[in-house]
Amino acid sequence: AGAPRAPSRIARASPARYPLPMQPDAPPAHFLLHVPKCAGTTVEAHFARHLGPDGFLLAPRWRNPLRDVIGNRYPDLDPLALRRVRVVSGHSLSRSLARKFTGREVREHVLIRDPLSYLVSFYNYRWARHDQRDEPAPPPFDAWTGTQRRNPISRFLLHRYFEIGYPSVYRLSSRARFVLLERAFARFACGSAWSRSDAAVANLSAELGLPTQAARENEAAARRFALSDIAPARQEALKAEHALDQLLLDRWKDRGADPAATPPDPAAAA
């Protein structure tokens, strides 16, 4: 488990007080998309620690059944209370939160991961929950992967951040999902592999005048399973089953914050 995060300041919304006027000199707000098992806890803890509750917001979860249909909503957030927020993150971050930052540029950042190491990490996480909280133990890895939805990283982004609810997300072909995410990533301020999280944190921290080195958080003390435990043939099969996530990682892993490193338009990519 990671270190406790600094609480975020949340004020009740006052609809009559917004939309706010344009703020040409206002600093940008940075949206850090927290994809599960992609170093998000380390990134969040760093900015929460150094920005404090006024400068860092952990996006709150909208506890409404419609969340899975239309995406997260933020009825209790007051735009005036967010004027000093510089970084927003969390599993419940959706792009509609940008409406609360009227008059400010919103810069989006994402870290993604290859499907093999993602599955191994998530499998070890399930074992950790068993060891620490007495939750049910997962079955053997091959049986467990057979129960997992395909392309979990792209599906999480489409559903949680881009607010494509169920069942709409399932009506999208793999090609449509790929094109949507590629064109969105091309507009992001930063996008790269989770293994480059140190560089991503350092780059943004330098821009914000913060310490550039993040302390590691949420690293499993004991790992029950390793990538090397997967037979080569099974590794190739898993890559094929999660081909969309693998393709996105292959194309964006080295892009970082350099627009010149943006891959070519998806029309020529697949």
Coordinates of all heavy atoms in Angstrom, one line a residue, residues 188-192 196 252-259 261:
F188 N -2.5 15.1 -26.6 CA -2.0 15.1 -25.2 C -0.7 15.8 -25.0 O 0.1 15.8 -26.0 CB -1.9 13.7 -24.7 CG -3.2 13.1 -24.2 CD1 -4.4 13.6 -24.7 CD2 -3.2 12.0 -23.4 CE1 -5.6 13.0 -24.3 CE2 -4.4 11.4 -23.0 CZ -5.6 11.9 -23.4
A189 N -0.5 16.4 -23.9 CA 0.8 17.0 -23.6 C 1.9 16.0 -23.4 O 3.0 16.3 -23.8 CB 0.7 17.9 -22.3
C190 N 1.5 14.8 -22.9 CA 2.5 13.8 -22.7 C 1.9 12.4 -22.7 O 0.8 12.2 -22.2 CB 3.2 14.0 -21.3 SG 4.5 12.7 -20.9
G191 N 2.5 11.5 -23.4 CA 2.0 10.1 -23.4 C 3.2 9.2 -23.6 O 4.0 9.4 -24.6
S192 N 3.3 8.2 -22.8 CA 4.5 7.3 -22.9 C 4.2 6.0 -22.1 O 3.2 5.9 -21.4 CB 5.8 8.0 -22.5 OG 5.7 8.4 -21.1
R196 N 8.5 4.8 -18.2 CA 9.1 6.2 -18.3 C 8.4 7.2 -17.3 O 8.5 8.4 -17.6 CB 9.0 6.7 -19.7 CG 9.8 5.8 -20.7 CD 9.9 6.5 -22.1 NE 10.5 7.8 -22.0 CZ 10.7 8.6 -23.0 NH1 10.3 8.3 -24.2 NH2 11.3 9.8 -22.9
W252 N 3.3 4.4 -28.7 CA 3.4 5.6 -27.9 C 4.4 5.6 -26.8 O 4.6 6.5 -26.1 CB 2.0 5.9 -27.3 CG 1.1 6.4 -28.3 CD1 0.2 5.6 -29.1 CD2 0.9 7.7 -28.8 NE1 -0.5 6.4 -30.0 CE2 -0.1 7.7 -29.8 CE3 1.5 9.0 -28.4 CZ2 -0.4 8.9 -30.5 CZ3 1.1 10.1 -29.1 CH2 0.1 10.1 -30.1
K253 N 5.1 4.4 -26.6 CA 6.0 4.2 -25.5 C 7.1 5.3 -25.4 O 7.5 5.6 -24.2 CB 6.6 2.8 -25.5 CG 7.4 2.5 -26.7 CD 7.9 1.1 -26.7 CE 8.7 0.8 -28.0 NZ 9.1 -0.6 -28.0
D254 N 7.6 5.8 -26.5 CA 8.7 6.7 -26.4 C 8.3 8.2 -26.8 O 9.2 9.0 -26.9 CB 9.8 6.3 -27.4 CG 10.3 4.9 -27.0 OD1 10.5 4.7 -25.8 OD2 10.6 4.1 -27.9
R255 N 7.1 8.5 -26.9 CA 6.6 9.8 -27.3 C 6.9 10.8 -26.3 O 7.5 11.9 -26.5 CB 5.2 9.8 -27.7 CG 4.7 11.1 -28.4 CD 4.1 12.1 -27.5 NE 3.3 13.1 -28.2 CZ 2.7 14.1 -27.6 NH1 2.7 14.2 -26.3 NH2 2.0 14.9 -28.3
G256 N 6.6 10.5 -25.0 CA 6.9 11.5 -23.9 C 6.2 12.8 -24.2 O 5.0 12.9 -24.6
A257 N 6.8 13.9 -23.9 CA 6.3 15.3 -24.0 C 6.7 15.9 -25.3 O 6.6 17.1 -25.5 CB 6.6 16.1 -22.8
D258 N 7.3 15.2 -26.2 CA 7.9 15.7 -27.5 C 6.9 15.6 -28.6 O 6.7 14.5 -29.1 CB 9.2 15.0 -27.8 CG 9.8 15.5 -29.1 OD1 9.3 16.6 -29.6 OD2 10.8 14.9 -29.6
P259 N 6.2 16.7 -29.0 CA 5.3 16.5 -30.1 C 5.9 16.0 -31.4 O 5.2 15.3 -32.2 CB 4.8 18.0 -30.3 CG 5.1 18.7 -29.0 CD 6.3 18.0 -28.5
A261 N 7.7 13.6 -31.7 CA 7.8 12.1 -31.6 C 6.4 11.5 -31.7 O 6.3 10.3 -31.6 CB 8.4 11.7 -30.3

